[in-house]
Amino acid sequence: MANSSATIQTDWIQNASFPVALLDQTFQVRIKSESAHLICASIHLPALQSIFDKVIQHQAPALQTINLQTDTGHVYFDLTVTPCEDGFLIFAKDSSLDHNLRAALMDSRQRFKDLVEISSDFAWEVGASGEFIFVSQRGAVGYEPEELIQKQSDDIVLKRDKKQSLNPFMSKSKLEREEVWVLRPDGEPACLLVSCVPLFDENNIWIGARGVCRDITDERERDAALARAYHRDQLLAYIVKTIRDEVDPSNMLSAAANATARALSANGCQIFRRQGNSSLIKDASFGDIPQDIDDLFGRLNDIHENEVGLFETENWIAIYSATRYRRTINGAICLWREKIRGGWNDDDQILAIDVANQLGIANEQISGHERIVELSRTDALTGLLNRRAFFEEELPRHIDRLKFNKSPAALIYVDLDHFKQVNDAFGHQKGDDVLIMLRDFLLHHIRPGDVAARLGGDEFALWLDDIDLDAAKARCQGIIESSVFLKEYSGTSEKPLGVSVGLALFDPHSGETIEELISRADAAMYKAKRAGRGNFRTADPFVTPASTGQGD
């Protein structure tokens, strides 16, 4: 061998500060340095045998890194084996530190790569001209990484207002958790939370920036949804308070229509209510009603539970919803707005439903109040006005109108003859049937606008507007003649059932009080009874005290 003729100095090998050893042809150690004991102890390991085979085969030096196990762990050596005249010369360099550092670096890089790829954030870097030069594998808000590479960051930043005029991807200073709105590939906005550091060269010239972004669009949309829900709650609370603060139930829906229209920025509002099984009636409104939405009002009678709808005309767009109480439709609400002011969004529709639910309760409360008022004003058996409602509410209202119109009217008292015998012979149930029969009979003999009342027991009263004395007498005569059918319901044949009628004509110029008018009608009725029953008598005209004095 060309390089094996050199003589190896024994003392040089023994005094070497690094691992070195001289082996003979049988791989036995002839001379070694003090630090070569680990290498020499591992001569016969397969890892070393493979390098010896290469040296023998090629008769040239060979290099190989080996890993040796020690009591303290693994040790790495960069091993060089050179053939020589007497055998093999082995040089070793302890590369454990380099190997461990390299392994730690690779592990760190892999860890960083794994974290970036599984993170909800995405990493990026832009160059000096603002174009993306790196985007992590996850990509950003719907973009694939290759779609953003070489794309100008300014192209995706959404300038929502003048305040947001900076592009954080091109920041010249460090940013932490800066919000920026960008455009997704489909054109929809997305909100990113940006943290980044600027990059400068050795001359302190800005050459780009790198950082991470997190998509917080869902969080911002949830925040916006909560804010809208809070706003709806505030508006609903305002409407409900307006309704509840209204003492008079009859004004409750008018206040609700006004408050709802204002809260929803509507031009007008119409509230409908269903009384019993009847069709919907307009109960309250706010604002002028456009003629071209009348078609909508007709459709509301067929509105379904939980139905919310939109109705559009050339100039208007309306929203309507059913009002409910215990899953039963008891009304509807309709609001309209000019098209130029914008349509109804989802929040408007949700609020309209919430208002409709409250109006359903209000409608029921109003109906309940009306039932209570009706019960307080009507006779429980016949449903006619009772004495208090007739004399204290209806007659004063009619008389005020007559004084204005200067028209006469008639108060007619009707009393059943021999009614006690019906109860005695057949019981009170039969007596109630007769009273109901008389009610129907009297209602048949009055006009729309006239009033009938049950004053108590078997005593009834009729009020006939705009009628003179002759017409009133004819009406009383007709009642007497038509009442003969009552005889077949008599308690005894000796005391036939019939009616006695007293008539008092009211002159609005006379100054007569209601009490005086009642007294005259009552006296005329008892005069008819004393005259043999089954007939009518007319009260004498009212005479003022002053005129009586003059007569005296």
Side-chain angles (χ1 to χ4, degrees):
M1 298 182 191
N3 63 345
S4 62
S5 58
T7 302
I8 305 300
Q9 299 295 325
T10 300
D11 55 348
W12 176 82
I13 295 175
Q14 291 177 337
N15 296 326
S17 61
F18 54 88
V20 59
L22 178 64
L23 307 182
D24 61 17
Q25 297 291 340
T26 61
F27 307 111
Q28 297 299 316
V29 177
R30 293 174 57 189
I31 306 170
K32 65 181 181 66
S33 64
E34 184 177 352
S35 57
H37 64 279
L38 183 59
I39 297 296
C40 294
S42 306
I43 292 297
H44 299 289
L45 291 178
L48 269 68
Q49 288 300 312
S50 62
I51 190 173
F52 286 133
D53 292 341
K54 292 178 182 179
V55 172
I56 294 171
Q57 180 180 357
H58 299 288
Q59 286 300 299
L63 287 80
Q64 183 172 317
T65 298
I66 62 172
N67 176 12
L68 300 179
Q69 178 69 39
T70 67
D71 293 339
T72 59
H74 290 274
V75 179
Y76 292 88
F77 288 99
D78 291 338
L79 198 64
T80 302
V81 178
T82 302
C84 61
E85 181 179 358
D86 300 322
F88 305 95
L89 187 62
I90 300 177
F91 298 91
K93 177 186 176 184
D94 190 343
S95 61
S96 298
L97 180 60
D98 292 343
H99 187 277
N100 290 338
L101 288 175
R102 186 164 52 251
L105 179 60
M106 293 179 63
D107 185 59
S108 178
R109 291 178 62 184
Q110 185 62 43
R111 184 181 296 112
F112 175 77
K113 180 181 177 182
D114 291 343
L115 289 175
V116 168
E117 289 183 354
I118 66 174
S119 173
S120 60
D121 300 352
F122 72 91
W124 53 270
E125 184 174 339
V126 297
S129 60
E131 80 285 357
F132 287 100
I133 60 175
F134 167 77
V135 177
S136 60
Q137 190 62 36
R138 180 173 288 275
V141 290
Y143 290 99
E144 294 295 331
E146 55 270 17
E147 291 183 271
L148 287 180
I149 299 298
Q150 302 302 318
K151 188 179 186 69
Q152 283 291 329
S153 57
D154 235 8
D155 292 345
I156 69 168
V157 174
L158 180 61
K159 305 296 191 303
R160 291 195 138 193
D161 50 47
K162 293 181 179 180
K163 182 180 178 182
Q164 185 184 315
S165 57
L166 297 178
N167 177 356
F169 295 103
M170 298 181 64
S171 176
K172 305 299 191 297
S173 59
K174 183 179 179 180
L175 298 178
E176 290 188 7
R177 302 176 64 81
E178 185 80 12
E179 288 190 18
V180 58
W181 284 86
V182 300
L183 286 175
R184 299 180 189 271
D186 59 4
E188 290 296 315
C191 188
L192 298 178
L193 199 63
V194 181
S195 297
C196 67
V197 293
L199 303 176
F200 300 94
D201 64 10
E202 63 276 7
N203 297 317
N204 204 32
I205 297 175
W206 186 83
I207 58 173
R210 63 169 63 106
V212 291
C213 289
R214 174 174 297 172
D215 187 350
I216 59 170
T217 307
D218 290 343
E219 296 174 31
R220 290 296 170 265
E221 288 179 347
R222 283 194 295 271
D223 292 343
L226 288 174
R228 292 195 302 271
Y230 177 77
H231 181 62
R232 290 197 306 270
D233 288 344
Q234 293 294 100
L235 292 177
L236 183 62
Y238 159 70
I239 294 169
V240 171
K241 183 178 185 300
T242 302
I243 295 174
R244 291 178 177 174
D245 287 350
E246 186 58 54
V247 177
D248 188 351
S250 61
N251 296 330
M252 192 179 291
L253 294 185
S254 296
N258 188 321
T260 303
R262 296 182 186 279
L264 274 79
S265 300
N267 291 82
C269 176
Q270 184 82 53
I271 297 176
F272 299 80
R273 192 157 61 92
R274 175 168 288 155
Q275 296 177 322
N277 296 321
S278 64
S279 59
L280 296 178
I281 59 171
K282 297 177 185 178
D283 205 306
S285 63
F286 172 80
D288 297 329
I289 302 173
Q291 292 184 352
D292 53 355
I293 68 169
D294 283 345
D295 290 343
L296 169 61
F297 295 155
R299 300 181 190 179
L300 293 180
N301 282 313
D302 300 321
I303 197 169
H304 301 294
E305 183 181 359
N306 299 323
E307 180 180 356
V308 179
L310 298 175
F311 180 80
E312 192 170 344
T313 68
E314 182 179 354
N315 301 312
W316 302 88
I317 182 167
I319 184 173
Y320 59 89
S321 176
T323 66
R324 296 160 299 279
Y325 182 75
R326 294 182 177 175
R327 301 185 63 83
T328 299
I329 294 176
N330 62 6
I333 180 174
C334 177
L335 300 108
W336 55 90
R337 178 190 293 165
E338 291 177 289
K339 277 188 175 180
I340 58 175
R341 297 177 61 185
W344 302 99
N345 58 34
D346 292 342
D347 287 331
D348 293 332
Q349 296 187 43
I350 293 172
L351 183 56
I353 294 172
D354 291 340
V355 172
N357 291 334
Q358 294 297 323
L359 289 177
I361 298 172
N363 280 343
E364 181 62 23
Q365 290 175 336
I366 293 171
S367 297
H369 175 76
E370 289 177 344
R371 286 192 293 270
I372 293 172
V373 170
E374 187 67 17
L375 289 173
S376 70
R377 298 180 72 245
T378 57
D379 170 58
L381 175 64
T382 63
L384 299 177
L385 291 177
N386 58 27
R387 175 181 289 272
R388 184 195 62 80
F390 182 70
F391 289 128
E392 297 180 12
E393 296 178 14
E394 287 297 315
L395 258 60
R397 182 170 62 85
H398 284 261
I399 288 174
D400 286 343
R401 187 180 66 83
L402 291 173
K403 289 179 178 178
F404 179 79
N405 295 338
K406 298 179 173 55
S407 300
L411 176 61
I412 300 174
Y413 266 35
V414 179
D415 189 83
L416 276 171
D417 298 328
H418 306 302
F419 178 66
K420 180 178 182 300
Q421 282 69 30
V422 175
N423 286 329
D424 292 344
F426 304 112
H428 289 281
Q429 180 60 52
K430 187 67 174 180
D432 289 346
D433 293 341
V434 169
L435 293 174
I436 293 174
M437 192 183 311
L438 180 59
R439 174 203 65 187
D440 296 339
F441 169 74
L442 294 176
L443 291 176
H444 181 71
H445 281 78
I446 62 175
R447 305 158 299 177
D450 294 339
V451 184
R454 182 187 178 197
L455 304 182
D458 58 355
E459 190 176 0
F460 292 76
L462 304 177
W463 176 265
L464 283 65
D465 276 329
D466 302 322
I467 192 169
D468 58 22
L469 182 59
D470 291 339
K473 287 182 176 180
R475 186 67 56 86
C476 292
Q477 186 62 40
I479 291 173
I480 294 297
E481 293 174 355
S482 301
S483 64
V484 294
F485 76 97
L486 292 171
K487 289 183 178 180
E488 61 180 289
Y489 302 100
S490 301
T492 64
S493 58
E494 293 81 11
K495 295 183 177 182
L497 189 63
V499 294
S500 294
V501 176
L503 166 64
L505 192 72
F506 174 74
D507 181 358
H509 302 94
S510 65
E512 184 180 18
T513 65
I514 293 177
E515 290 75 14
E516 292 168 334
L517 176 65
I518 293 171
S519 178
R520 287 200 301 123
D522 190 52
M525 185 265 294
Y526 278 104
K527 188 183 296 184
K529 281 187 175 292
R530 288 193 296 270
R533 305 176 191 266
N535 56 63
F536 82 92
R537 288 291 183 269
T538 302
D540 296 332
F542 173 72
V543 179
T544 64
S547 63
T548 302
Q550 291 173 356
D552 294 337

